[in-house]
Amino acid sequence: MKKKLNIAVLGTGFMGKVHSYAWRAVSKIFDLEFEPVLKVAFGTDANDLSSFVERWGYEDSSMNWKEVVSRPDIDLVDIVAPTLVHKDMAVFAAENGKNVFCEKPCCLSVSDAQAMAEACEKAGVLSYLNHNYRRIPAVSYARQLIQEGRLGEIYHFRGAYLQDWIMDPNFPLTWHLKKEFAGGGPLFDLGSHSIDLARFLVGEIDSVTAEMRTFIKDRPLPGTGAATFTAGTNQSSEKGKVTVDDAAFLLLGFENSEALGSCDVSRFAGGRRNYNYFEVYGAKGSLVWNLERLNELQFLDLTEPYATQGFRNIMLTAGDHPYMSKWWAGGHIVGYETTFVNAMSDCLTCLAKGTAPSPNFRDGEKILQVLAAADVSAREGRRVRCQEVQ
Amino acid sequence: MKKKLNIAVLGTGFMGKVHSYAWRAVSKIFDLEFEPVLKVAFGTDANDLSSFVERWGYEDSSMNWKEVVSRPDIDLVDIVAPTLVHKDMAVFAAENGKNVFCEKPCCLSVSDAQAMAEACEKAGVLSYLNHNYRRIPAVSYARQLIQEGRLGEIYHFRGAYLQDWIMDPNFPLTWHLKKEFAGGGPLFDLGSHSIDLARFLVGEIDSVTAEMRTFIKDRPLPGTGAATFTAGTNQSSEKGKVTVDDAAFLLLGFENSEALGSCDVSRFAGGRRNYNYFEVYGAKGSLVWNLERLNELQFLDLTEPYATQGFRNIMLTAGDHPYMSKWWAGGHIVGYETTFVNAMSDCLTCLAKGTAPSPNFRDGEKILQVLAAADVSAREGRRVRCQEVQ
Amino acid sequence: MKKKLNIAVLGTGFMGKVHSYAWRAVSKIFDLEFEPVLKVAFGTDANDLSSFVERWGYEDSSMNWKEVVSRPDIDLVDIVAPTLVHKDMAVFAAENGKNVFCEKPCCLSVSDAQAMAEACEKAGVLSYLNHNYRRIPAVSYARQLIQEGRLGEIYHFRGAYLQDWIMDPNFPLTWHLKKEFAGGGPLFDLGSHSIDLARFLVGEIDSVTAEMRTFIKDRPLPGTGAATFTAGTNQSSEKGKVTVDDAAFLLLGFENSEALGSCDVSRFAGGRRNYNYFEVYGAKGSLVWNLERLNELQFLDLTEPYATQGFRNIMLTAGDHPYMSKWWAGGHIVGYETTFVNAMSDCLTCLAKGTAPSPNFRDGEKILQVLAAADVSAREGRRVRCQEVQ
Amino acid sequence: MKKKLNIAVLGTGFMGKVHSYAWRAVSKIFDLEFEPVLKVAFGTDANDLSSFVERWGYEDSSMNWKEVVSRPDIDLVDIVAPTLVHKDMAVFAAENGKNVFCEKPCCLSVSDAQAMAEACEKAGVLSYLNHNYRRIPAVSYARQLIQEGRLGEIYHFRGAYLQDWIMDPNFPLTWHLKKEFAGGGPLFDLGSHSIDLARFLVGEIDSVTAEMRTFIKDRPLPGTGAATFTAGTNQSSEKGKVTVDDAAFLLLGFENSEALGSCDVSRFAGGRRNYNYFEVYGAKGSLVWNLERLNELQFLDLTEPYATQGFRNIMLTAGDHPYMSKWWAGGHIVGYETTFVNAMSDCLTCLAKGTAPSPNFRDGEKILQVLAAADVSAREGRRVRCQEVQ
């Protein structure tokens, strides 16, 4: 019989939906010690919270997150609220002895990430930062190929994360566009993912050089009922200042490696709905991947005869690909939601074994350093070493 | 409060798994009158059945399918057993007043399909045949574009469904390779899907010309514990006759249209894991789609200036694409399993409204006519009209 | 010092242009014994002929083709006139002791092809039929891989040659659309290429089953000055009967092989400008190619571990790819015209060595048999063996 | 009757071959006032020169370039020698009243480019710098779409030019790897092309931030007979210092625009044979292009309904695409060599009209400023404005 694992989900937005779906699926797909239970949900809007709880079958709900987190029956706190509140929620959860599962980006600053990590370490609870794209079979397999030496010495990481959802100048000034809530624009939202992939595949980043732009400087204030990706109704005719970047292009130097990297993130790349892309070039092989075709990985093997070399398109749906023995069958692709299921499976396995999952808040700290260094670099027009930023 | 809909699932194999997953998800993603309940599962292997029931949370189980079907608390019977038994199960279910949800291919013969349809019609129960690929947003959208006249008069349907999972001559003689169990090889398994798409997109098929091949004529008998796609252990050294096709290539004529079609199905197309592909060409536009990239649809609009015409790759992840407002967000792709969720949602909506879902057993009858005509055509070396086959 | 090879080109249309270009280039790119000399051009329109001759630097011209062919200073006759006249020109050239280089399709009938072959054999002159797509590095390399056994036993050839240049119902009734001039529609024009590739890659074709359609049955008569692909000016308001197919879909059986093939040709596939496509599936590997990306070949190697299998996209621009050591450099692609240059190089090499080039009029005969069998099959609704057609 | 234009070609390497091919073709394909005559070739190796002259039909040859350039019968000097000597040759040619056609990169320094431009301006002769990729139909068409406003305000240029031909550490120390001969590594060779495209499509570059790497610091000295892309025979066991970059990644700011750009160039990107790639994102549309598929252009139109938006792949082979009315037919692709033919056609048209071709040595100066700024930026770790560099 499986152990029940009582979960409190803090937030009812888009991420709350995806996490609820995935918590319900994880123990069906994977063979785990734990059976997650959707115990209680926290939200700030009574109507949203009520329909969220009914849809997903939460046993209880509350509009007071501290009350939720401090309940004695909660085993794991899942933070899907805006970036601004991650730190307080995570620290409070750790102080109350709860395991912490937290959406990305980790938080607003390096010091906040350190505080989150320290609180969890001190309390002896699990900390997991949900850079779920690591858990995509193609990405896990890319790392496996690199670690097996199939790429040899790495020369380049060329990452990009491009979207287009705020190109309309009338898209309102949601919290994503205010630095005090979001930490940054695509630099934080998308760049944190891309930097996490660079670290996962190549190694720690040593220095950053960056340029940033804010193309639309003022936007209409959101109306009432504005949700994460929507304008809400009764949009205001008044405008407010956008205080984050619309695009950030980074050059990356790595520790312990001469590899040269780049990472272009933008919300102004028309037609790119969710284009999280990387190329990795090494002495023995190359890899290309893109989130919009997440079930595929292109691999070129330079050790083959020159005449038959070519980027081969591997469908990551075989039983011997990471995670896929548990899903469907060869050629049967998986979607976005499964990356959360895979992440939760790994996380719960770590919890069962008492090991630290990856990435965690220490990874968050490293990523925040890169993002902060990029911010300094763009403002000061110079290469910045990550260790400068604390 | 939603109405409970008690479901009996007949079968615990790969399809049993996918259906269980999808029944659990459908009322979370879509807003339905019904809440499906996994009431009881039927299986033929006690161990398999026991672990299946525990994993998916069925309330009960049985190794007697008639007992299961005739339970008064069952509202809908979901048939995921081998093709051979579809007819008996469906007819018995209808006779017991149960709604019937049935995996494809419909059954072994035109007359069986007729019997299934008649039984359901007589009993006044719902009949649904799960050609789920209609429910893929890209495919639904393809049909929408055609129905809006964006393609004009249709000239060609070029379909293919190619796989490679039995290319190894040592792959054992599972039930899929015996005509009495499966009806046919890829002609039935894959061709039924491809023909359903041709009908869905272009219209009824009038005549068929076909060629078939069986490349590997004898295969090792399966060992004990052989499951759907696996060889089992203790594989026998004895061999038996393959009695189905390994490949079938069809030419298609349509009713009420001069369109010329083709449909190549094979299990001997190396590297094609699950390549269900079509091209549709019309006087005003063209479409291309492939199941391995199921979130994409290529569309070429011939009404544009010649110089800017090109196949455009549409990501089917927008809120105004079929089904997608209920799933994730722009650029966040969905997987194989979601096509079942979409299908169940449509089916339950029909049940709530008292309308006939599509496709149903009458569609199964039409598809079986095409498959049977193809079989005659290949054997006799001549064009066969569907109406010849009863 | 190279030997001069005096060439007479019969025709000044699109093919006359391409051939002239290629004859001028061939001895610059390849190291040949012969230096082709554009000696004399034949044309039927005085103005066209005059500007053609001036542009390409022909030494002489004539509007009497027999006069041209019988000139004692001519070594090789290059036939780029409509299909209707191929046979008379080729036979007369052979009878006058000239080597014959002839555009495809070979001629209107099997017996004409036999006559052409016999005339050349009797005269001891070279006969070359210009199915130039064999000379594309990717296609030559595909054959090389097959002959090296990299694909193992062949299971499938899936060919298509799709275009869209006559979809407009007002496209005029040029000679291509009259059976007595062209032999057939895409069946002859495109199908001859596709069938040649099937034979080149897989082997001789034994039986054919086909369906054909003519979607636009009447078209405006062409105006004055109508050239190959153009309507001319003063297009007539009168209409005439289209007497060829607009599309032909074929199923193919092979000699000495159980391989099952298909070949769909059409001029009604919108957006397909020049889509000559094939897939070849074998027991050990698969190939995919398309003329619109003629420098690329996709290859999947089934002998690799399953998890790293994938269609690899080989750029055919390396020095060790066929023909490419003579062209540019790695990654520098070649265009349509180079396929003629390669073909002429091979042809002149055969001439120097006294060997028979390939394909020649005997190949033409085999191809005509398949096309004629397809025509019978479509009309009679039955499988036709090639040997039935003489 | 066309005017003869006597050409002296300085150099017999790979570029000498391509230029010779293209000069022979240009007046056949395009309708020009001039007929180019391959008058005289200069080379430094007597054997190479002799076979070069014979193959391409030059009337004369010389191993003294000044003698060649100062011949009174020469109208145009075509410089295809190593970058090091471009300046002296161009200036001397201008001083002798010759028109100058020069391969890229322009020269070693901004001041050299200024000297070249001034010499031509003073002498009133034509100066043309051969960034031939502008003359690719897809690239010309991309610019046309941008200038027609189809992209709206430009937000991003994302360029890359990636190759892999020197990844082998035993590839010898050819002149390309010595700063005094080549000016730089891929920064000069590939970056000059990519920067030219950024300027052509978006506008002048204002500031640059760059990082550079040299992965292989010492290489074997080349053997005797080492040619441009080959190791020669008798390769030395002695090694020498590589004094150029192996990779350079740039961030770009533009004059008169907030657009943010990037440009990654490398010779260490395995599998990228000749991957000159760009993406341009604007408020109304997006473009993607790649030299390895030079006949295609991807365009996404943001003014279309969201649900049917998608990157469309335009084949640039229609009569109404730039240059293509003169080449073959729809769907018949062109190769690398045709970009030289197109460039020469434009250049000779300017010569006939007495207008300045583009790009010319003033463009060379601008490009050199960007490359020099990148060099300073990488060394000093800071953003550099182009105007700082003289």
Side-chain angles (χ1 to χ4, degrees), chain C residues 68-106:
Chain C
V68 166
V69 169
S70 55
R71 279 170 61 141
D73 59 352
I74 293 301
D75 299 311
L76 183 147
V77 171
D78 178 9
I79 302 170
V80 289
T83 314
L84 168 65
V85 294
H86 285 193
K87 182 220 160 189
D88 286 352
M89 285 177 168
V91 169
F92 188 76
E95 288 170 355
N96 279 270
K98 311 304 187 192
N99 298 298
V100 188
F101 188 106
C102 184
E103 256 309 313
K104 47 60 59 179
C106 188

Short mmCIF file of all heavy atoms in Angstrom, two decimals, chain C residues 68-106:
data_model
loop_
_atom_site.label_atom_id
_atom_site.label_comp_id
_atom_site.label_asym_id
_atom_site.label_seq_id
_atom_site.Cartn_x
_atom_site.Cartn_y
_atom_site.Cartn_z
N VAL C 68 19.96 19.61 -90.75
CA VAL C 68 20.87 19.75 -89.60
C VAL C 68 21.49 18.40 -89.24
O VAL C 68 22.71 18.27 -89.08
CB VAL C 68 20.12 20.33 -88.39
CG1 VAL C 68 20.93 20.17 -87.11
CG2 VAL C 68 19.78 21.79 -88.63
N VAL C 69 20.62 17.42 -89.11
CA VAL C 69 21.07 16.11 -88.62
C VAL C 69 22.03 15.45 -89.60
O VAL C 69 22.97 14.75 -89.20
CB VAL C 69 19.85 15.21 -88.34
CG1 VAL C 69 20.27 13.76 -88.08
CG2 VAL C 69 19.05 15.75 -87.16
N SER C 70 21.80 15.71 -90.87
CA SER C 70 22.63 15.00 -91.87
C SER C 70 23.94 15.72 -92.20
O SER C 70 24.72 15.24 -93.01
CB SER C 70 21.80 14.77 -93.14
OG SER C 70 21.27 15.98 -93.60
N ARG C 71 24.16 16.86 -91.58
CA ARG C 71 25.43 17.55 -91.83
C ARG C 71 26.60 16.65 -91.45
O ARG C 71 26.63 16.08 -90.35
CB ARG C 71 25.51 18.82 -90.98
CG ARG C 71 24.76 20.01 -91.58
CD ARG C 71 24.67 21.14 -90.58
NE ARG C 71 26.00 21.62 -90.20
CZ ARG C 71 26.28 22.91 -90.01
NH1 ARG C 71 25.34 23.84 -90.20
NH2 ARG C 71 27.48 23.28 -89.64
N PRO C 72 27.58 16.58 -92.29
CA PRO C 72 28.71 15.68 -92.00
C PRO C 72 29.53 16.11 -90.78
O PRO C 72 30.21 15.28 -90.17
CB PRO C 72 29.54 15.71 -93.28
CG PRO C 72 29.04 16.86 -94.08
CD PRO C 72 27.67 17.20 -93.62
N ASP C 73 29.49 17.41 -90.43
CA ASP C 73 30.33 17.86 -89.31
C ASP C 73 29.70 17.63 -87.94
O ASP C 73 30.30 17.98 -86.93
CB ASP C 73 30.69 19.34 -89.49
CG ASP C 73 29.47 20.25 -89.55
OD1 ASP C 73 28.32 19.72 -89.61
OD2 ASP C 73 29.64 21.47 -89.53
N ILE C 74 28.52 17.07 -87.92
CA ILE C 74 27.86 16.88 -86.62
C ILE C 74 28.21 15.50 -86.04
O ILE C 74 28.11 14.49 -86.72
CB ILE C 74 26.33 17.01 -86.81
CG1 ILE C 74 25.95 18.44 -87.18
CG2 ILE C 74 25.57 16.56 -85.54
CD1 ILE C 74 26.38 19.49 -86.18
N ASP C 75 28.61 15.52 -84.75
CA ASP C 75 28.97 14.27 -84.05
C ASP C 75 27.82 13.75 -83.19
O ASP C 75 27.69 12.55 -82.98
CB ASP C 75 30.18 14.51 -83.15
CG ASP C 75 31.40 14.95 -83.94
OD1 ASP C 75 31.71 14.29 -84.96
OD2 ASP C 75 32.01 15.97 -83.57
N LEU C 76 27.06 14.68 -82.63
CA LEU C 76 26.02 14.27 -81.68
C LEU C 76 24.79 15.14 -81.88
O LEU C 76 24.89 16.37 -81.99
CB LEU C 76 26.55 14.40 -80.25
CG LEU C 76 25.64 13.96 -79.12
CD1 LEU C 76 26.47 13.38 -77.96
CD2 LEU C 76 24.77 15.11 -78.61
N VAL C 77 23.64 14.47 -81.92
CA VAL C 77 22.37 15.18 -82.06
C VAL C 77 21.66 15.17 -80.71
O VAL C 77 21.49 14.11 -80.11
CB VAL C 77 21.50 14.50 -83.14
CG1 VAL C 77 20.09 15.10 -83.14
CG2 VAL C 77 22.15 14.64 -84.50
N ASP C 78 21.27 16.36 -80.29
CA ASP C 78 20.62 16.52 -78.98
C ASP C 78 19.17 16.91 -79.22
O ASP C 78 18.87 18.02 -79.68
CB ASP C 78 21.37 17.62 -78.21
CG ASP C 78 20.75 17.90 -76.85
OD1 ASP C 78 19.85 17.14 -76.42
OD2 ASP C 78 21.18 18.87 -76.21
N ILE C 79 18.26 16.00 -78.89
CA ILE C 79 16.84 16.18 -79.20
C ILE C 79 16.09 16.78 -78.02
O ILE C 79 15.91 16.14 -76.99
CB ILE C 79 16.20 14.82 -79.61
CG1 ILE C 79 16.95 14.23 -80.81
CG2 ILE C 79 14.71 15.00 -79.91
CD1 ILE C 79 16.56 12.80 -81.14
N VAL C 80 15.66 18.03 -78.17
CA VAL C 80 14.90 18.72 -77.13
C VAL C 80 13.58 19.26 -77.69
O VAL C 80 13.07 20.27 -77.24
CB VAL C 80 15.73 19.86 -76.49
CG1 VAL C 80 16.84 19.28 -75.64
CG2 VAL C 80 16.32 20.77 -77.56
N ALA C 81 13.05 18.55 -78.67
CA ALA C 81 11.77 18.91 -79.30
C ALA C 81 10.64 18.15 -78.60
O ALA C 81 10.89 17.28 -77.77
CB ALA C 81 11.84 18.52 -80.77
N PRO C 82 9.36 18.49 -78.90
CA PRO C 82 8.25 17.76 -78.27
C PRO C 82 8.34 16.24 -78.48
O PRO C 82 8.91 15.76 -79.47
CB PRO C 82 7.02 18.34 -78.97
CG PRO C 82 7.42 19.73 -79.34
CD PRO C 82 8.88 19.62 -79.71
N THR C 83 7.78 15.51 -77.56
CA THR C 83 7.89 14.05 -77.52
C THR C 83 7.49 13.40 -78.85
O THR C 83 8.12 12.42 -79.30
CB THR C 83 6.98 13.50 -76.39
OG1 THR C 83 7.18 14.29 -75.22
CG2 THR C 83 7.30 12.05 -76.08
N LEU C 84 6.47 13.97 -79.45
CA LEU C 84 5.95 13.45 -80.71
C LEU C 84 7.04 13.16 -81.75
O LEU C 84 6.95 12.17 -82.50
CB LEU C 84 4.96 14.49 -81.29
CG LEU C 84 4.48 14.32 -82.71
CD1 LEU C 84 3.65 13.06 -82.85
CD2 LEU C 84 3.67 15.54 -83.15
N VAL C 85 8.03 14.03 -81.83
CA VAL C 85 9.02 13.91 -82.90
C VAL C 85 10.30 13.19 -82.48
O VAL C 85 11.20 13.03 -83.30
CB VAL C 85 9.36 15.30 -83.50
CG1 VAL C 85 8.11 15.86 -84.21
CG2 VAL C 85 9.84 16.26 -82.43
N HIS C 86 10.40 12.79 -81.26
CA HIS C 86 11.62 12.13 -80.79
C HIS C 86 12.02 10.95 -81.68
O HIS C 86 13.17 10.79 -82.05
CB HIS C 86 11.46 11.64 -79.34
CG HIS C 86 11.50 12.73 -78.32
ND1 HIS C 86 11.63 12.49 -76.99
CD2 HIS C 86 11.44 14.09 -78.45
CE1 HIS C 86 11.63 13.63 -76.32
NE2 HIS C 86 11.52 14.62 -77.19
N LYS C 87 11.01 10.12 -81.95
CA LYS C 87 11.33 8.88 -82.65
C LYS C 87 11.92 9.16 -84.03
O LYS C 87 12.98 8.65 -84.39
CB LYS C 87 10.08 8.00 -82.79
CG LYS C 87 10.37 6.68 -83.45
CD LYS C 87 9.24 6.33 -84.40
CE LYS C 87 9.63 5.32 -85.44
NZ LYS C 87 8.57 5.18 -86.45
N ASP C 88 11.24 10.00 -84.81
CA ASP C 88 11.72 10.27 -86.16
C ASP C 88 13.12 10.89 -86.13
O ASP C 88 14.00 10.52 -86.91
CB ASP C 88 10.76 11.21 -86.90
CG ASP C 88 9.48 10.48 -87.31
OD1 ASP C 88 9.43 9.24 -87.16
OD2 ASP C 88 8.55 11.16 -87.77
N MET C 89 13.30 11.82 -85.23
CA MET C 89 14.60 12.48 -85.14
C MET C 89 15.70 11.51 -84.74
O MET C 89 16.80 11.52 -85.32
CB MET C 89 14.53 13.64 -84.14
CG MET C 89 13.77 14.86 -84.67
SD MET C 89 13.66 16.15 -83.40
CE MET C 89 13.06 17.54 -84.41
N ALA C 90 15.40 10.68 -83.75
CA ALA C 90 16.42 9.76 -83.24
C ALA C 90 16.79 8.73 -84.30
O ALA C 90 17.97 8.42 -84.52
CB ALA C 90 15.92 9.07 -81.96
N VAL C 91 15.77 8.19 -84.95
CA VAL C 91 16.03 7.15 -85.95
C VAL C 91 16.82 7.74 -87.13
O VAL C 91 17.82 7.17 -87.59
CB VAL C 91 14.70 6.53 -86.43
CG1 VAL C 91 14.92 5.65 -87.66
CG2 VAL C 91 14.07 5.71 -85.29
N PHE C 92 16.41 8.92 -87.56
CA PHE C 92 17.11 9.57 -88.67
C PHE C 92 18.56 9.89 -88.29
O PHE C 92 19.48 9.71 -89.09
CB PHE C 92 16.35 10.84 -89.08
CG PHE C 92 16.86 11.47 -90.34
CD1 PHE C 92 16.57 10.93 -91.60
CD2 PHE C 92 17.65 12.62 -90.28
CE1 PHE C 92 17.05 11.53 -92.76
CE2 PHE C 92 18.13 13.23 -91.44
CZ PHE C 92 17.83 12.68 -92.68
N ALA C 93 18.73 10.35 -87.06
CA ALA C 93 20.09 10.66 -86.60
C ALA C 93 20.96 9.40 -86.60
O ALA C 93 22.10 9.40 -87.09
CB ALA C 93 20.05 11.28 -85.21
N ALA C 94 20.38 8.33 -86.08
CA ALA C 94 21.14 7.08 -86.04
C ALA C 94 21.48 6.62 -87.45
O ALA C 94 22.62 6.20 -87.73
CB ALA C 94 20.33 5.99 -85.31
N GLU C 95 20.51 6.71 -88.31
CA GLU C 95 20.73 6.29 -89.69
C GLU C 95 21.82 7.12 -90.37
O GLU C 95 22.48 6.67 -91.30
CB GLU C 95 19.42 6.40 -90.48
CG GLU C 95 18.42 5.30 -90.09
CD GLU C 95 17.03 5.51 -90.68
OE1 GLU C 95 16.82 6.57 -91.31
OE2 GLU C 95 16.17 4.63 -90.49
N ASN C 96 21.99 8.34 -89.89
CA ASN C 96 23.04 9.19 -90.42
C ASN C 96 24.34 9.06 -89.62
O ASN C 96 25.24 9.89 -89.76
CB ASN C 96 22.58 10.64 -90.46
CG ASN C 96 21.71 10.92 -91.68
OD1 ASN C 96 22.23 11.30 -92.73
ND2 ASN C 96 20.40 10.66 -91.57
N GLY C 97 24.36 8.07 -88.72
CA GLY C 97 25.60 7.78 -88.01
C GLY C 97 25.92 8.74 -86.87
O GLY C 97 27.06 8.84 -86.43
N LYS C 98 24.88 9.44 -86.39
CA LYS C 98 25.13 10.40 -85.31
C LYS C 98 24.81 9.76 -83.95
O LYS C 98 23.86 8.98 -83.83
CB LYS C 98 24.22 11.63 -85.47
CG LYS C 98 24.20 12.26 -86.84
CD LYS C 98 25.58 12.65 -87.33
CE LYS C 98 25.49 13.44 -88.62
NZ LYS C 98 26.81 13.61 -89.27
N ASN C 99 25.59 10.15 -82.96
CA ASN C 99 25.24 9.80 -81.59
C ASN C 99 23.99 10.59 -81.18
O ASN C 99 23.81 11.73 -81.62
CB ASN C 99 26.40 10.14 -80.66
CG ASN C 99 27.63 9.33 -81.02
OD1 ASN C 99 27.62 8.11 -80.95
ND2 ASN C 99 28.69 10.02 -81.46
N VAL C 100 23.16 9.97 -80.33
CA VAL C 100 21.89 10.60 -80.00
C VAL C 100 21.74 10.80 -78.49
O VAL C 100 21.87 9.85 -77.70
CB VAL C 100 20.70 9.75 -80.50
CG1 VAL C 100 19.39 10.53 -80.30
CG2 VAL C 100 20.88 9.37 -81.96
N PHE C 101 21.48 12.03 -78.15
CA PHE C 101 21.21 12.44 -76.76
C PHE C 101 19.78 12.97 -76.79
O PHE C 101 19.49 13.90 -77.53
CB PHE C 101 22.20 13.55 -76.39
CG PHE C 101 22.20 13.96 -74.95
CD1 PHE C 101 23.25 13.58 -74.11
CD2 PHE C 101 21.20 14.76 -74.42
CE1 PHE C 101 23.29 13.99 -72.78
CE2 PHE C 101 21.23 15.17 -73.09
CZ PHE C 101 22.27 14.78 -72.27
N CYS C 102 18.88 12.36 -76.02
CA CYS C 102 17.45 12.67 -76.19
C CYS C 102 16.79 12.98 -74.85
O CYS C 102 16.97 12.26 -73.87
CB CYS C 102 16.77 11.47 -76.87
SG CYS C 102 15.03 11.75 -77.25
N GLU C 103 15.98 14.03 -74.85
CA GLU C 103 15.22 14.36 -73.65
C GLU C 103 14.15 13.29 -73.39
O GLU C 103 13.74 12.58 -74.29
CB GLU C 103 14.55 15.74 -73.78
CG GLU C 103 15.24 16.85 -73.01
CD GLU C 103 15.50 16.51 -71.55
OE1 GLU C 103 14.59 16.01 -70.86
OE2 GLU C 103 16.66 16.72 -71.10
N LYS C 104 13.71 13.26 -72.19
CA LYS C 104 12.63 12.36 -71.80
C LYS C 104 11.30 13.09 -71.94
O LYS C 104 11.32 14.32 -71.95
CB LYS C 104 12.83 11.84 -70.37
CG LYS C 104 13.18 12.88 -69.31
CD LYS C 104 12.24 13.99 -69.02
CE LYS C 104 10.86 13.52 -68.57
NZ LYS C 104 9.97 14.73 -68.28
N PRO C 105 10.14 12.45 -71.92
CA PRO C 105 10.01 11.00 -72.06
C PRO C 105 10.48 10.56 -73.44
O PRO C 105 10.47 11.33 -74.39
CB PRO C 105 8.52 10.76 -71.85
CG PRO C 105 7.85 12.05 -72.15
CD PRO C 105 8.84 13.14 -71.83
N CYS C 106 10.86 9.31 -73.49
CA CYS C 106 11.55 8.78 -74.67
C CYS C 106 10.75 9.03 -75.95
O CYS C 106 11.29 9.54 -76.93
CB CYS C 106 11.78 7.29 -74.47
SG CYS C 106 12.82 6.52 -75.72
#
